Amino acid sequence: YMPKDCEQNVLRKRAGIDVASARNIAAAADTIRNRHREGDLSTEVSTRETLAAARMVADGWSAAQAMKRIFLPLFEGTNIEGERSIVSKIIMAY
């Protein structure tokens, strides 16, 4: 994956979103990828998925809402336990 600052620029240019939203999406994806490398999560978030979240932001969703819609279905569990709870907490941190 590209560095998060590069991904942030791609999200801004491709989806036309604000700097803060692009930064939050790229940072959350980077954290999820790092947690995957550490073995805490069974999958990662692709650039295609960050772009999908960015397009939702361009359509009026908040970055957090968009990430929940796009990222959470990739993971098992609920918002209270399992991988989905880990990812939900990461999203809420941004």
Side-chain angles (χ1 to χ4, degrees):
Y1 293 101
M2 65 186 93
K4 67 180 171 183
D5 59 327
C6 292
E7 187 166 18
Q8 175 183 330
N9 289 333
V10 168
L11 299 177
R12 287 186 59 226
K13 289 179 182 176
R14 291 240 183 124
I17 62 174
D18 61 285
V19 173
S21 294
R23 183 182 323 117
N24 290 341
I25 293 169
D30 187 61
T31 301
I32 292 167
R33 292 169 186 151
N34 288 333
R35 296 290 298 265
H36 175 262
R37 279 186 221 105
E38 294 167 0
D40 295 335
L41 297 171
S42 62
T43 192
E44 340 178 76
V45 172
S46 70
T47 303
R48 179 173 296 177
E49 288 147 349
T50 62
L51 282 166
R55 287 187 197 104
M56 288 182 72
V57 171
D59 287 340
W61 295 67
S62 73
Q65 291 170 324
M67 288 188 283
K68 285 179 183 178
R69 279 281 200 195
I70 301 297
F71 298 174
L72 287 182
L74 302 171
F75 299 93
E76 296 292 326
T78 67
N79 290 348
I80 299 171
E81 60 184 36
E83 289 185 342
R84 195 173 287 191
S85 72
I86 295 169
V87 175
S88 184
K89 290 173 187 168
I90 292 168
I91 290 168
M92 295 313 296
Y94 297 99

